[in-house]
Structure formats: C-alpha cells, structure tokens
Amino acid sequence: MAPVKTFTEVIESSVAPERLFKAIVLDGHNLLPKLIPGSFESIEIVEGESIAVGSVKKITFAQGHHYKYAKQRIDELNVDTFYCKYTITESDLLDGKYEYIVNEIKYDAVGTGSICKLTSHLHLKEGVELNEERIKVGHEKMEKSFKIVEEYLIANPQAYA
C-alpha cells in the first residue's frame, strides 16, 4: 500500500464559521473566480446539480497559474457542523506523484470568530519522495485565498449572513 502523508493547517478568523462555510464551501464555485480571478478562471459543477455529497467540481486555474485544472468530488458535507471532505480525483497537480488527495475543511466557532482547520491527506504513488516545501507553498496559497474571502466578508457584513 502506498504511503499517506498528512498535513494540517489552522487559520484563525474574526468571521463567524457559518459565513465562511457558506462563502467558501457552498458558494465558492461562484465567489472565488470573482474575488480571485488571478487564481481561478472558473469553477463549475460537472457532476450533480449542486454542492452535495457525490457532486464533482472542476476548477480551471487562471492562465499563468502553476496548474491548469483539478476535479474535486465531495465525499462528506455537513452544513450543521461546517465540515466538508473532498477528494481531488483528477488534476495536473497530482503530477504523477499522487494517487489522489483528500482534503478536510472544518470551521469551528471561537468567540465571535472562528478557526478553520484544513487537513490534507496525500496518497502517494509507490516509491515517490514527497517535497514538503511544495506542500507548504500550496497551503500558503490556500491561506491567502482564505484571507481574501475573509476580507470580503468583513467589508460586506450582509454577504452570506
């Protein structure tokens, strides 16, 4: 069995978890390309009719981005606990090194804000060495996108309320 490497990132926010969850998880396919066009050209649901377990999203990254596309299948979704688990099943970011990548996102309330915990499970192909620096860069890019959404929600308190 190929090895699995797990990385966790925790991000604090002054925004309530339900607003972040709605913006990033439930409506990210609409919001992210508008807020961050330099990273996301488009995000479309290619299987299923909405964001639900079993649906598949195709992310087309902006021209000049390191990667071209990714397909994500939603494996678990709990709107009451602000949790989403999805698998990257197809992408040039798998780069012949990974069988697939499973990401878990969980938002928890802390005071009037929240904590976002992102856990990535990298299912490596047999014999592949992991470049941990590259993983850190990927998590830093995700954190930067998170902060852009957070800034938008702070500036627009009615959005996703």
Side-chain angles (χ1 to χ4, degrees), residues 4-62:
V4 177
K5 298 286 186 177
T6 300
F7 296 88
T8 299
E9 190 78 34
V10 176
I11 307 168
E12 294 183 22
S13 175
S14 61
V15 177
E18 55 271 9
R19 291 184 67 213
L20 287 165
F21 186 80
K22 287 177 188 176
I24 295 172
V25 175
L26 300 180
D27 197 45
H29 59 288
N30 292 314
L31 185 63
L32 294 175
K34 291 176 187 169
L35 284 184
I36 317 169
S39 293
F40 303 99
E41 182 178 303
S42 67
I43 303 174
E44 58 188 314
I45 299 169
V46 294
E47 290 181 31
E49 294 181 23
S50 65
I51 301 300
V53 173
S55 66
V56 176
K57 294 188 295 187
K58 181 182 180 192
I59 300 168
T60 303
F61 295 106

Side-chain angles (χ1 to χ4, degrees), residues 99-114:
E99 294 291 338
Y100 55 93
I101 299 171
V102 176
N103 287 318
E104 297 180 76
I105 303 170
K106 175 75 171 94
Y107 300 91
D108 288 308
V110 176
T112 59
S114 59

Side-chain angles (χ1 to χ4, degrees), residues 141-153:
K141 287 181 180 182
M142 285 191 272
E143 183 173 352
K144 184 177 177 183
S145 295
F146 177 93
K147 290 299 183 181
I148 291 170
V149 172
E150 177 187 46
E151 289 171 12
Y152 170 79
L153 293 173

Side-chain angles (χ1 to χ4, degrees), residues 125-137:
K125 289 190 173 184
E126 203 64 52
V128 169
E129 292 289 323
L130 183 66
N131 181 340
E132 291 193 26
E133 189 59 37
R134 193 167 163 197
I135 302 305
K136 286 181 186 177
V137 169

Side-chain angles (χ1 to χ4, degrees), residues 49-109:
E49 294 181 23
S50 65
I51 301 300
V53 173
S55 66
V56 176
K57 294 188 295 187
K58 181 182 180 192
I59 300 168
T60 303
F61 295 106
Q63 188 173 10
H65 193 276
H66 189 73
Y67 301 108
K68 293 181 178 157
Y69 80 101
K71 283 189 177 178
Q72 302 175 343
R73 180 191 65 237
I74 298 177
D75 301 314
E76 294 179 39
L77 184 68
N78 188 321
V79 297
D80 296 323
T81 62
F82 315 119
Y83 174 79
C84 181
K85 178 179 176 182
Y86 64 90
T87 301
I88 299 173
T89 58
E90 183 182 325
S91 177
D92 54 340
L93 74 85
L94 296 176
D95 201 21
K97 295 180 175 145
Y98 310 104
E99 294 291 338
Y100 55 93
I101 299 171
V102 176
N103 287 318
E104 297 180 76
I105 303 170
K106 175 75 171 94
Y107 300 91
D108 288 308

